[in-house]
Amino acid sequence: GRDTRWEMQVAMLPDARRLVHLVDRSAGHAAEKMRVDFVANASHELRTPLSAILGYVETLDDEKAGGDVAVRKRFLKIMHDEAQRMQRLVDDLMSLSRIEAEKYRAPDTAIDMAGLIAETHAVLRDQRGERGRDIVTDIDESLPFVAGDRAQLSQVLHNLINNAMKYGRPGTPITVSLARGPGSMIRLSVEDEGEGIAPEHLPRLTERFYRVDSSRSRALGGTGLGLAIVKHIIERHRGRLDIQSTLGRGTTVSALLPPAPLRLSSNGNSTVTG
Ligand code: ADP
């Protein structure tokens, strides 16, 4: 009868509670482990250049080594490079935490991606021309705007182009394109003709500090945070990241972004509702 069923439910309740508690706890553990790993990795990444700088300061302080102008110049150059590496790391760490803090606030401006690409293209063409890398653009002008955060989408574009520059073969072009994606999504892609990425690495590329080749990434000035930042920004935009790569041929990294609703103005004053 009724009472028995009720009793059974009550009897089961503590177990159910225990189960919920268990699930909660294990989710908490995973998150806690990630946080601990992240702090350990970040500290290690900062400590390496810091130790180098301290070592060179001590050597320069030594009369014999510090007296030689050529040696001093060489050491100062290394210290400068290491300090710049620390700066890049701190900048990326700050970007990451800012983006994470904004995770639940949907971006609220209609962004003209074609315009943003053209602007970025113009800046990079002047800056990087000497590296002999052509940036080619292929833009569908008829696409709607993207509901976004301009500074963050600009960072996505910069990080992806930066990677294409680092891992693309010298002398080969980089193609930035804007096309219709699946459904109503808009696809922003950056394609390089480079070394490519082996399939087993693909699922882990957006993890913080994950690199296919650590020493190579460091030598090229990488922090290991570029794609983690990209992933967080795309998630905040309710979009999707898609990486296609063929080892030895090249890589195409795409951000699939939802279009802005029509009522969204491009001055950022009106906000997305509903
Ligand atoms: P990094 O600062 O090391 O470049 P990212 O988070 O931007 O960090 O990328 C993580 C890793 O993914 C890189 O170290 C590199 O191994 C790989 N990677 C990223 N983009 C490309 C690309 N376009 N071609 C080949 N490998 C890439």
Short mmCIF file of all heavy atoms in Angstrom, two decimals, residues 106-113 144-150 153 259-273:
data_model
loop_
_atom_site.label_atom_id
_atom_site.label_comp_id
_atom_site.label_asym_id
_atom_site.label_seq_id
_atom_site.Cartn_x
_atom_site.Cartn_y
_atom_site.Cartn_z
N ALA A 106 26.95 36.92 -20.99
CA ALA A 106 27.03 36.75 -22.44
C ALA A 106 27.53 38.05 -23.07
O ALA A 106 27.15 39.14 -22.64
CB ALA A 106 25.67 36.39 -22.99
N PRO A 107 28.42 37.94 -24.07
CA PRO A 107 28.90 39.14 -24.75
C PRO A 107 27.74 39.83 -25.46
O PRO A 107 26.85 39.15 -25.98
CB PRO A 107 29.91 38.61 -25.76
CG PRO A 107 29.91 37.15 -25.66
CD PRO A 107 28.94 36.72 -24.64
N ASP A 108 27.72 41.16 -25.47
CA ASP A 108 26.48 41.85 -25.86
C ASP A 108 26.61 42.88 -26.97
O ASP A 108 25.86 43.83 -27.04
CB ASP A 108 25.87 42.49 -24.62
CG ASP A 108 26.82 43.49 -23.99
OD1 ASP A 108 27.92 43.68 -24.56
OD2 ASP A 108 26.48 44.07 -22.96
N THR A 109 27.58 42.72 -27.83
CA THR A 109 27.73 43.68 -28.92
C THR A 109 27.72 42.94 -30.26
O THR A 109 28.22 41.82 -30.33
CB THR A 109 29.06 44.45 -28.77
OG1 THR A 109 29.14 44.94 -27.44
CG2 THR A 109 29.13 45.61 -29.73
N ALA A 110 27.15 43.56 -31.28
CA ALA A 110 27.19 42.96 -32.61
C ALA A 110 28.53 43.32 -33.24
O ALA A 110 28.84 44.49 -33.41
CB ALA A 110 26.04 43.48 -33.46
N ILE A 111 29.34 42.30 -33.51
CA ILE A 111 30.69 42.55 -34.01
C ILE A 111 30.79 42.22 -35.49
O ILE A 111 30.42 41.14 -35.93
CB ILE A 111 31.73 41.69 -33.25
CG1 ILE A 111 31.60 41.88 -31.73
CG2 ILE A 111 33.15 42.01 -33.73
CD1 ILE A 111 31.92 43.25 -31.22
N ASP A 112 31.34 43.18 -36.23
CA ASP A 112 31.59 43.00 -37.65
C ASP A 112 32.93 42.26 -37.79
O ASP A 112 34.00 42.87 -37.79
CB ASP A 112 31.65 44.39 -38.31
CG ASP A 112 32.18 44.35 -39.72
OD1 ASP A 112 32.21 43.26 -40.32
OD2 ASP A 112 32.56 45.43 -40.22
N MET A 113 32.86 40.94 -37.89
CA MET A 113 34.09 40.14 -37.93
C MET A 113 34.94 40.45 -39.16
O MET A 113 36.16 40.44 -39.09
CB MET A 113 33.75 38.64 -37.90
CG MET A 113 33.35 38.12 -36.54
SD MET A 113 34.57 38.44 -35.25
CE MET A 113 35.91 37.39 -35.77
N PRO A 144 26.16 37.68 -41.39
CA PRO A 144 25.70 38.56 -40.31
C PRO A 144 26.82 38.82 -39.30
O PRO A 144 27.85 38.14 -39.32
CB PRO A 144 24.57 37.76 -39.66
CG PRO A 144 24.80 36.35 -40.05
CD PRO A 144 25.52 36.37 -41.36
N PHE A 145 26.60 39.80 -38.45
CA PHE A 145 27.56 40.09 -37.39
C PHE A 145 27.53 38.98 -36.35
O PHE A 145 26.61 38.17 -36.32
CB PHE A 145 27.23 41.43 -36.73
CG PHE A 145 27.57 42.63 -37.59
CD1 PHE A 145 28.05 42.47 -38.89
CD2 PHE A 145 27.43 43.91 -37.11
CE1 PHE A 145 28.38 43.56 -39.68
CE2 PHE A 145 27.75 45.02 -37.89
CZ PHE A 145 28.21 44.84 -39.17
N VAL A 146 28.55 38.99 -35.48
CA VAL A 146 28.64 37.99 -34.42
C VAL A 146 28.29 38.66 -33.10
O VAL A 146 28.65 39.82 -32.88
CB VAL A 146 30.08 37.42 -34.37
CG1 VAL A 146 30.37 36.73 -33.06
CG2 VAL A 146 30.32 36.50 -35.55
N ALA A 147 27.56 37.96 -32.23
CA ALA A 147 27.28 38.50 -30.90
C ALA A 147 28.54 38.31 -30.08
O ALA A 147 28.90 37.19 -29.74
CB ALA A 147 26.12 37.75 -30.25
N GLY A 148 29.22 39.40 -29.80
CA GLY A 148 30.53 39.17 -29.17
C GLY A 148 31.09 40.30 -28.34
O GLY A 148 30.45 41.30 -28.08
N ASP A 149 32.31 40.05 -27.93
CA ASP A 149 33.12 40.99 -27.17
C ASP A 149 34.31 41.28 -28.08
O ASP A 149 35.10 40.40 -28.39
CB ASP A 149 33.55 40.30 -25.87
CG ASP A 149 34.46 41.15 -25.01
OD1 ASP A 149 35.42 41.73 -25.56
OD2 ASP A 149 34.22 41.22 -23.80
N ARG A 150 34.40 42.53 -28.55
CA ARG A 150 35.37 42.86 -29.59
C ARG A 150 36.82 42.55 -29.17
O ARG A 150 37.57 41.96 -29.92
CB ARG A 150 35.24 44.34 -29.96
CG ARG A 150 35.86 44.67 -31.29
CD ARG A 150 35.43 46.05 -31.77
NE ARG A 150 35.52 46.14 -33.21
CZ ARG A 150 36.65 46.29 -33.88
NH1 ARG A 150 37.79 46.36 -33.23
NH2 ARG A 150 36.66 46.36 -35.20
N LEU A 153 37.37 38.77 -29.14
CA LEU A 153 37.43 38.15 -30.47
C LEU A 153 38.73 38.55 -31.17
O LEU A 153 39.32 37.77 -31.91
CB LEU A 153 36.21 38.55 -31.30
CG LEU A 153 34.90 37.91 -30.81
CD1 LEU A 153 33.71 38.45 -31.59
CD2 LEU A 153 34.97 36.38 -30.93
N PRO A 259 25.58 33.94 -34.64
CA PRO A 259 25.33 35.28 -35.17
C PRO A 259 24.63 36.15 -34.14
O PRO A 259 23.98 35.63 -33.24
CB PRO A 259 24.41 35.02 -36.36
CG PRO A 259 23.71 33.74 -36.02
CD PRO A 259 24.68 32.93 -35.21
N ALA A 260 24.78 37.46 -34.29
CA ALA A 260 24.10 38.38 -33.38
C ALA A 260 22.64 38.45 -33.74
O ALA A 260 22.29 38.47 -34.92
CB ALA A 260 24.74 39.76 -33.50
N PRO A 261 21.74 38.49 -32.75
CA PRO A 261 20.32 38.69 -33.07
C PRO A 261 20.16 40.06 -33.73
O PRO A 261 20.94 40.97 -33.45
CB PRO A 261 19.63 38.66 -31.71
CG PRO A 261 20.68 38.49 -30.68
CD PRO A 261 22.02 38.38 -31.33
N LEU A 262 19.16 40.20 -34.60
CA LEU A 262 19.01 41.43 -35.38
C LEU A 262 18.88 42.68 -34.52
O LEU A 262 19.35 43.73 -34.88
CB LEU A 262 17.80 41.30 -36.31
CG LEU A 262 18.10 40.54 -37.61
CD1 LEU A 262 16.83 40.38 -38.43
CD2 LEU A 262 19.17 41.28 -38.42
N ARG A 263 18.21 42.52 -33.36
CA ARG A 263 17.96 43.72 -32.55
C ARG A 263 19.20 44.21 -31.82
O ARG A 263 19.18 45.27 -31.20
CB ARG A 263 16.85 43.45 -31.55
CG ARG A 263 17.19 42.39 -30.52
CD ARG A 263 15.98 42.10 -29.64
NE ARG A 263 16.26 41.08 -28.65
CZ ARG A 263 16.35 39.80 -28.92
NH1 ARG A 263 16.23 39.38 -30.16
NH2 ARG A 263 16.61 38.92 -27.97
N LEU A 264 20.27 43.46 -31.92
CA LEU A 264 21.48 43.85 -31.21
C LEU A 264 22.19 44.96 -31.98
O LEU A 264 22.49 44.81 -33.15
CB LEU A 264 22.39 42.62 -31.11
CG LEU A 264 23.47 42.63 -30.07
CD1 LEU A 264 22.85 42.73 -28.69
CD2 LEU A 264 24.29 41.37 -30.17
N SER A 265 22.42 46.09 -31.34
CA SER A 265 23.07 47.19 -32.06
C SER A 265 24.58 47.02 -31.95
O SER A 265 25.10 46.38 -31.05
CB SER A 265 22.65 48.52 -31.48
OG SER A 265 23.41 48.79 -30.33
N SER A 266 25.29 47.65 -32.90
CA SER A 266 26.73 47.47 -32.94
C SER A 266 27.47 48.48 -32.07
O SER A 266 28.68 48.50 -32.01
CB SER A 266 27.23 47.54 -34.37
OG SER A 266 26.80 48.74 -34.94
N ASN A 267 26.73 49.34 -31.33
CA ASN A 267 27.43 50.29 -30.47
C ASN A 267 27.58 49.77 -29.05
O ASN A 267 28.17 50.42 -28.21
CB ASN A 267 26.72 51.65 -30.47
CG ASN A 267 25.29 51.54 -29.97
OD1 ASN A 267 24.93 50.53 -29.37
ND2 ASN A 267 24.49 52.55 -30.23
N GLY A 268 27.04 48.60 -28.81
CA GLY A 268 27.23 47.99 -27.50
C GLY A 268 26.27 48.50 -26.46
O GLY A 268 26.31 48.09 -25.31
N ASN A 269 25.32 49.39 -26.84
CA ASN A 269 24.41 49.93 -25.83
C ASN A 269 23.26 49.00 -25.50
O ASN A 269 22.80 48.94 -24.38
CB ASN A 269 23.84 51.28 -26.28
CG ASN A 269 24.91 52.35 -26.22
OD1 ASN A 269 25.88 52.20 -25.48
ND2 ASN A 269 24.76 53.39 -27.01
N SER A 270 22.79 48.30 -26.50
CA SER A 270 21.67 47.40 -26.23
C SER A 270 22.23 46.02 -25.91
O SER A 270 23.28 45.63 -26.38
CB SER A 270 20.74 47.33 -27.42
OG SER A 270 21.33 46.56 -28.44
N THR A 271 21.51 45.30 -25.08
CA THR A 271 22.03 44.02 -24.66
C THR A 271 21.15 42.88 -25.16
O THR A 271 20.01 43.08 -25.51
CB THR A 271 22.10 43.93 -23.12
OG1 THR A 271 20.82 44.31 -22.62
CG2 THR A 271 23.15 44.86 -22.57
N VAL A 272 21.73 41.70 -25.19
CA VAL A 272 20.98 40.54 -25.60
C VAL A 272 20.00 40.19 -24.50
O VAL A 272 20.37 40.16 -23.33
CB VAL A 272 21.91 39.32 -25.80
CG1 VAL A 272 21.12 38.17 -26.41
CG2 VAL A 272 23.08 39.68 -26.67
N THR A 273 18.77 39.97 -24.86
CA THR A 273 17.80 39.54 -23.85
C THR A 273 17.19 38.23 -24.28
O THR A 273 17.05 37.97 -25.46
CB THR A 273 16.70 40.59 -23.63
OG1 THR A 273 16.20 40.98 -24.92
CG2 THR A 273 17.22 41.80 -22.91
#
